[in-house]
Amino acid sequence: AVVSTQSTGVARSDEFSPLKNGPGAKSCTPEICREDLSNLHKKWVLKAGGTFEGEGLCEISPLVSADGEGLSELVAGRVVKLPAHFAERPVTTNNGYTNGYNGLHSKL
């Protein structure tokens, strides 16, 4: 029997943020994990052609994008005001009406 293994190299900051300690500790806290996820989501927005104004967190729901895919149609050429939360994609009905929801919240 032949046993094979494979390994994949990934950027640690994009794939792993340990949560081992409670709020206020020096490392591995919920605050640090939240900031790491926000930084990843900001990278996705920048890669998709968006820019940012202000400071704060950026959160992208997995209902919008699981790995940065499809964001260019939402953010290319746009300025995203931080903090930002991409909660859902706009929905267009078969009669051409949209739900009027642009998928952005200004408050997390």
Side-chain angles (χ1 to χ4, degrees), residues 8-16 43:
T8 303
V10 296
R12 179 183 168 108
S13 62
D14 290 349
E15 299 292 334
F16 184 71
K43 284 184 194 178

Side-chain angles (χ1 to χ4, degrees), residues 11-103:
R12 179 183 168 108
S13 62
D14 290 349
E15 299 292 334
F16 184 71
S17 183
L19 175 58
K20 299 189 255 180
N21 300 314
K26 291 183 180 183
S27 64
C28 305
T29 65
E31 296 87 2
I32 292 171
C33 290
R34 188 176 306 113
E35 189 69 31
D36 288 346
L37 185 60
S38 175
N39 289 337
L40 176 63
H41 291 175
K42 287 176 183 178
K43 284 184 194 178
W44 292 354
V45 169
L46 293 172
K47 186 176 179 182
T51 58
F52 293 103
E53 179 180 292
E55 295 184 19
L57 298 175
C58 177
E59 181 180 354
I60 300 173
S61 167
L63 298 173
V64 174
S65 181
D67 197 27
E69 74 288 344
L71 289 177
S72 60
E73 63 191 52
L74 296 175
V75 300
R78 288 185 60 191
V79 176
V80 177
K81 293 182 181 180
L82 294 175
H85 181 205
F86 293 78
E88 64 184 44
R89 291 186 173 276
V91 176
T92 302
T93 63
N94 60 359
N95 62 7
Y97 290 100
T98 64
N99 63 358
Y101 182 66
N102 67 7

